[in-house]
């Protein structure tokens, strides 16, 4: 399948930005584990979601 050059460039840019975001998030996470978030989740207020947030 042949694609226009503009489409190829757009796809390449998107893939590059996703890769960059993935690298950034992995770097920021460091050695953190999902269970490390529990202390923060336990401190979050226990309130019902806004009506706009429920689908």
């Amino acid at each position: 399948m042949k694609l226009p050059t503009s489409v190829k460039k757009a796809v390449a840019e998107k893939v590059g930005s996703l890769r960059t975001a993935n690298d950034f998030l992995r770097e920021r996470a460091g050695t953190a584990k999902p269970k490390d978030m529990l202390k923060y989740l336990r401190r979050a207020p226990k309130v019902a979601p806004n009506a706009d947030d429920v689908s």
Side-chain angles (χ1 to χ4, degrees):
M1 175 164 99
K2 292 187 177 189
L3 295 174
T5 303
S6 60
V7 172
K8 290 178 187 178
K9 286 182 180 181
V11 169
E13 284 182 30
K14 181 60 79 175
V15 169
S17 67
L18 290 174
R19 188 172 298 141
T20 300
N22 186 43
D23 293 343
F24 170 79
L25 293 172
R26 286 188 186 279
E27 182 181 313
R28 291 286 294 159
T31 59
K33 304 286 183 257
K35 70 176 186 164
D36 296 338
M37 284 296 296
L38 289 177
K39 69 179 180 179
Y40 300 106
L41 292 173
R42 287 187 184 114
R43 293 191 316 195
K46 295 178 177 42
V47 297
N50 292 333
D52 294 343
D53 293 338
V54 180
S55 53

